[in-house]
mmCIF file of all heavy atoms in Angstrom:
data_model
loop_
_atom_site.group_PDB
_atom_site.id
_atom_site.type_symbol
_atom_site.label_atom_id
_atom_site.label_comp_id
_atom_site.label_asym_id
_atom_site.label_seq_id
_atom_site.Cartn_x
_atom_site.Cartn_y
_atom_site.Cartn_z
ATOM 1 N N ALA A 61 92.173 105.448 106.403
ATOM 2 C CA ALA A 61 92.622 106.417 107.416
ATOM 3 C C ALA A 61 91.773 106.299 108.679
ATOM 4 O O ALA A 61 92.308 106.291 109.794
ATOM 5 C CB ALA A 61 92.561 107.833 106.852
ATOM 6 N N ARG A 62 90.453 106.181 108.498
ATOM 7 C CA ARG A 62 89.558 106.052 109.655
ATOM 8 C C ARG A 62 89.691 104.679 110.316
ATOM 9 O O ARG A 62 89.815 104.570 111.535
ATOM 10 C CB ARG A 62 88.110 106.277 109.238
ATOM 11 C CG ARG A 62 87.742 107.711 108.958
ATOM 12 C CD ARG A 62 86.245 107.882 108.760
ATOM 13 N NE ARG A 62 85.627 106.905 107.873
ATOM 14 C CZ ARG A 62 85.576 106.993 106.540
ATOM 15 N NH1 ARG A 62 86.124 108.028 105.946
ATOM 16 N NH2 ARG A 62 84.992 106.064 105.819
ATOM 17 N N ALA A 63 89.656 103.632 109.510
ATOM 18 C CA ALA A 63 89.621 102.270 110.043
ATOM 19 C C ALA A 63 90.942 101.838 110.675
ATOM 20 O O ALA A 63 90.945 101.068 111.635
ATOM 21 C CB ALA A 63 89.231 101.287 108.934
ATOM 22 N N CYS A 64 92.055 102.338 110.131
ATOM 23 C CA CYS A 64 93.364 101.848 110.574
ATOM 24 C C CYS A 64 94.260 102.943 111.154
ATOM 25 O O CYS A 64 95.440 102.694 111.405
ATOM 26 C CB CYS A 64 94.081 101.179 109.401
ATOM 27 S SG CYS A 64 93.151 99.822 108.676
ATOM 28 N N SER A 65 93.711 104.133 111.314
ATOM 29 C CA SER A 65 94.476 105.275 111.847
ATOM 30 C C SER A 65 95.752 105.551 111.050
ATOM 31 O O SER A 65 96.807 105.804 111.609
ATOM 32 C CB SER A 65 94.823 105.050 113.319
ATOM 33 O OG SER A 65 93.645 104.921 114.075
ATOM 34 N N VAL A 66 95.632 105.477 109.727
ATOM 35 C CA VAL A 66 96.775 105.749 108.849
ATOM 36 C C VAL A 66 96.805 107.230 108.515
ATOM 37 O O VAL A 66 95.775 107.830 108.219
ATOM 38 C CB VAL A 66 96.673 104.921 107.547
ATOM 39 C CG1 VAL A 66 97.748 105.317 106.553
ATOM 40 C CG2 VAL A 66 96.733 103.445 107.853
ATOM 41 N N LYS A 67 97.979 107.817 108.576
ATOM 42 C CA LYS A 67 98.169 109.201 108.129
ATOM 43 C C LYS A 67 98.867 109.145 106.781
ATOM 44 O O LYS A 67 100.074 108.945 106.702
ATOM 45 C CB LYS A 67 98.980 109.987 109.140
ATOM 46 C CG LYS A 67 98.253 110.153 110.443
ATOM 47 C CD LYS A 67 98.763 111.316 111.214
ATOM 48 C CE LYS A 67 98.023 111.373 112.511
ATOM 49 N NZ LYS A 67 97.308 112.579 112.697
ATOM 50 N N TRP A 68 98.075 109.277 105.720
ATOM 51 C CA TRP A 68 98.592 109.181 104.357
ATOM 52 C C TRP A 68 99.363 110.422 103.956
ATOM 53 O O TRP A 68 99.097 111.518 104.451
ATOM 54 C CB TRP A 68 97.440 109.027 103.368
ATOM 55 C CG TRP A 68 96.643 107.776 103.491
ATOM 56 C CD1 TRP A 68 95.343 107.677 103.877
ATOM 57 C CD2 TRP A 68 97.071 106.442 103.197
ATOM 58 N NE1 TRP A 68 94.940 106.363 103.853
ATOM 59 C CE2 TRP A 68 95.980 105.593 103.436
ATOM 60 C CE3 TRP A 68 98.268 105.892 102.760
ATOM 61 C CZ2 TRP A 68 96.044 104.215 103.247
ATOM 62 C CZ3 TRP A 68 98.333 104.527 102.578
ATOM 63 C CH2 TRP A 68 97.247 103.709 102.816
ATOM 64 N N GLN A 69 100.272 110.266 103.008
ATOM 65 C CA GLN A 69 100.844 111.415 102.328
ATOM 66 C C GLN A 69 99.698 112.122 101.620
ATOM 67 O O GLN A 69 98.731 111.501 101.199
ATOM 68 C CB GLN A 69 101.885 110.979 101.286
ATOM 69 C CG GLN A 69 103.129 110.404 101.854
ATOM 70 C CD GLN A 69 104.103 109.970 100.757
ATOM 71 O OE1 GLN A 69 103.808 110.038 99.571
ATOM 72 N NE2 GLN A 69 105.258 109.505 101.179
ATOM 73 N N ARG A 70 99.802 113.430 101.468
ATOM 74 C CA ARG A 70 98.739 114.185 100.797
ATOM 75 C C ARG A 70 98.724 113.882 99.305
ATOM 76 O O ARG A 70 99.763 113.715 98.689
ATOM 77 C CB ARG A 70 98.946 115.678 100.983
ATOM 78 C CG ARG A 70 98.643 116.143 102.378
ATOM 79 C CD ARG A 70 98.408 117.649 102.358
ATOM 80 N NE ARG A 70 97.856 118.106 103.592
ATOM 81 C CZ ARG A 70 96.551 118.136 103.860
ATOM 82 N NH1 ARG A 70 95.690 117.710 102.980
ATOM 83 N NH2 ARG A 70 96.131 118.584 105.013
ATOM 84 N N GLY A 71 97.514 113.844 98.750
ATOM 85 C CA GLY A 71 97.343 113.680 97.314
ATOM 86 C C GLY A 71 97.834 112.337 96.815
ATOM 87 O O GLY A 71 98.010 111.394 97.572
ATOM 88 N N TYR A 72 98.048 112.296 95.522
ATOM 89 C CA TYR A 72 98.604 111.095 94.899
ATOM 90 C C TYR A 72 99.174 111.482 93.544
ATOM 91 O O TYR A 72 98.873 112.531 92.997
ATOM 92 C CB TYR A 72 97.564 109.970 94.769
ATOM 93 C CG TYR A 72 96.430 110.268 93.813
ATOM 94 C CD1 TYR A 72 96.503 109.882 92.481
ATOM 95 C CD2 TYR A 72 95.289 110.932 94.229
ATOM 96 C CE1 TYR A 72 95.469 110.152 91.603
ATOM 97 C CE2 TYR A 72 94.253 111.196 93.367
ATOM 98 C CZ TYR A 72 94.342 110.810 92.051
ATOM 99 O OH TYR A 72 93.327 111.076 91.189
ATOM 100 N N PHE A 73 100.015 110.619 93.042
ATOM 101 C CA PHE A 73 100.623 110.806 91.726
ATOM 102 C C PHE A 73 100.191 109.632 90.872
ATOM 103 O O PHE A 73 100.290 108.488 91.294
ATOM 104 C CB PHE A 73 102.150 110.846 91.844
ATOM 105 C CG PHE A 73 102.842 110.836 90.521
ATOM 106 C CD1 PHE A 73 102.920 111.975 89.753
ATOM 107 C CD2 PHE A 73 103.393 109.665 90.029
ATOM 108 C CE1 PHE A 73 103.552 111.963 88.517
ATOM 109 C CE2 PHE A 73 104.025 109.636 88.801
ATOM 110 C CZ PHE A 73 104.103 110.791 88.044
ATOM 111 N N ASP A 74 99.692 109.941 89.696
ATOM 112 C CA ASP A 74 99.321 108.843 88.807
ATOM 113 C C ASP A 74 100.110 108.938 87.512
ATOM 114 O O ASP A 74 100.528 110.010 87.091
ATOM 115 C CB ASP A 74 97.815 108.838 88.515
ATOM 116 C CG ASP A 74 97.359 110.052 87.731
ATOM 117 O OD1 ASP A 74 97.138 111.099 88.356
ATOM 118 O OD2 ASP A 74 97.221 109.944 86.499
ATOM 119 N N HIS A 75 100.359 107.780 86.945
ATOM 120 C CA HIS A 75 101.062 107.669 85.665
ATOM 121 C C HIS A 75 100.325 106.623 84.846
ATOM 122 O O HIS A 75 100.136 105.502 85.311
ATOM 123 C CB HIS A 75 102.512 107.242 85.877
ATOM 124 C CG HIS A 75 103.221 106.898 84.611
ATOM 125 N ND1 HIS A 75 103.699 107.846 83.759
ATOM 126 C CD2 HIS A 75 103.508 105.697 84.049
ATOM 127 C CE1 HIS A 75 104.261 107.245 82.716
ATOM 128 N NE2 HIS A 75 104.154 105.938 82.879
ATOM 129 N N ARG A 76 99.906 106.989 83.677
ATOM 130 C CA ARG A 76 99.227 106.025 82.808
ATOM 131 C C ARG A 76 100.265 105.149 82.120
ATOM 132 O O ARG A 76 101.204 105.653 81.526
ATOM 133 C CB ARG A 76 98.390 106.743 81.763
ATOM 134 C CG ARG A 76 97.220 107.451 82.351
ATOM 135 C CD ARG A 76 96.433 108.152 81.270
ATOM 136 N NE ARG A 76 95.447 108.994 81.885
ATOM 137 C CZ ARG A 76 94.143 108.764 81.842
ATOM 138 N NH1 ARG A 76 93.680 107.740 81.169
ATOM 139 N NH2 ARG A 76 93.311 109.567 82.441
ATOM 140 N N VAL A 77 100.073 103.857 82.225
ATOM 141 C CA VAL A 77 100.951 102.918 81.531
ATOM 142 C C VAL A 77 100.466 102.849 80.089
ATOM 143 O O VAL A 77 99.322 102.493 79.824
ATOM 144 C CB VAL A 77 100.935 101.532 82.199
ATOM 145 C CG1 VAL A 77 101.785 100.557 81.413
ATOM 146 C CG2 VAL A 77 101.418 101.641 83.637
ATOM 147 N N ARG A 78 101.314 103.231 79.192
ATOM 148 C CA ARG A 78 100.961 103.268 77.775
ATOM 149 C C ARG A 78 101.123 101.885 77.154
ATOM 150 O O ARG A 78 101.761 100.995 77.708
ATOM 151 C CB ARG A 78 101.846 104.274 77.031
ATOM 152 C CG ARG A 78 101.863 105.652 77.650
ATOM 153 C CD ARG A 78 100.577 106.380 77.355
ATOM 154 N NE ARG A 78 100.690 107.754 77.847
ATOM 155 C CZ ARG A 78 99.709 108.379 78.447
ATOM 156 N NH1 ARG A 78 98.558 107.801 78.648
ATOM 157 N NH2 ARG A 78 99.870 109.612 78.861
ATOM 158 N N ASN A 79 100.587 101.721 75.977
ATOM 159 C CA ASN A 79 100.626 100.429 75.281
ATOM 160 C C ASN A 79 102.030 99.856 75.172
ATOM 161 O O ASN A 79 102.226 98.671 75.343
ATOM 162 C CB ASN A 79 100.024 100.561 73.883
ATOM 163 C CG ASN A 79 98.524 100.777 73.947
ATOM 164 O OD1 ASN A 79 97.899 100.463 74.947
ATOM 165 N ND2 ASN A 79 97.955 101.334 72.897
ATOM 166 N N GLY A 80 103.019 100.699 74.882
ATOM 167 C CA GLY A 80 104.365 100.201 74.665
ATOM 168 C C GLY A 80 105.163 99.974 75.932
ATOM 169 O O GLY A 80 106.242 99.403 75.892
ATOM 170 N N GLU A 81 104.647 100.413 77.079
ATOM 171 C CA GLU A 81 105.386 100.250 78.321
ATOM 172 C C GLU A 81 105.208 98.840 78.865
ATOM 173 O O GLU A 81 104.171 98.214 78.695
ATOM 174 C CB GLU A 81 104.907 101.264 79.362
ATOM 175 C CG GLU A 81 105.293 102.689 79.006
ATOM 176 C CD GLU A 81 104.889 103.657 80.094
ATOM 177 O OE1 GLU A 81 105.659 103.792 81.056
ATOM 178 O OE2 GLU A 81 103.809 104.249 79.961
ATOM 179 N N ASN A 82 106.214 98.369 79.547
ATOM 180 C CA ASN A 82 106.205 97.022 80.081
ATOM 181 C C ASN A 82 105.637 97.027 81.505
ATOM 182 O O ASN A 82 106.242 97.572 82.415
ATOM 183 C CB ASN A 82 107.626 96.466 80.068
ATOM 184 C CG ASN A 82 107.688 95.028 80.481
ATOM 185 O OD1 ASN A 82 106.969 94.581 81.369
ATOM 186 N ND2 ASN A 82 108.560 94.282 79.842
ATOM 187 N N TRP A 83 104.467 96.408 81.673
ATOM 188 C CA TRP A 83 103.835 96.328 82.988
ATOM 189 C C TRP A 83 104.745 95.636 84.001
ATOM 190 O O TRP A 83 104.813 96.043 85.149
ATOM 191 C CB TRP A 83 102.536 95.523 82.894
ATOM 192 C CG TRP A 83 101.375 96.271 82.354
ATOM 193 C CD1 TRP A 83 101.128 96.556 81.045
ATOM 194 C CD2 TRP A 83 100.310 96.838 83.079
ATOM 195 N NE1 TRP A 83 99.965 97.255 80.926
ATOM 196 C CE2 TRP A 83 99.423 97.440 82.172
ATOM 197 C CE3 TRP A 83 99.984 96.880 84.437
ATOM 198 C CZ2 TRP A 83 98.267 98.081 82.550
ATOM 199 C CZ3 TRP A 83 98.816 97.513 84.806
ATOM 200 C CH2 TRP A 83 97.980 98.110 83.881
#
Side-chain angles (χ1 to χ4, degrees):
R62 286 189 313 275
C64 302
S65 299
V66 173
K67 294 202 182 240
W68 295 113
Q69 291 179 356
R70 287 199 168 273
Y72 66 93
F73 172 78
D74 66 278
H75 171 78
R76 292 180 189 249
V77 177
R78 307 285 186 220
N79 290 339
E81 291 184 84
N82 186 322
W83 281 78

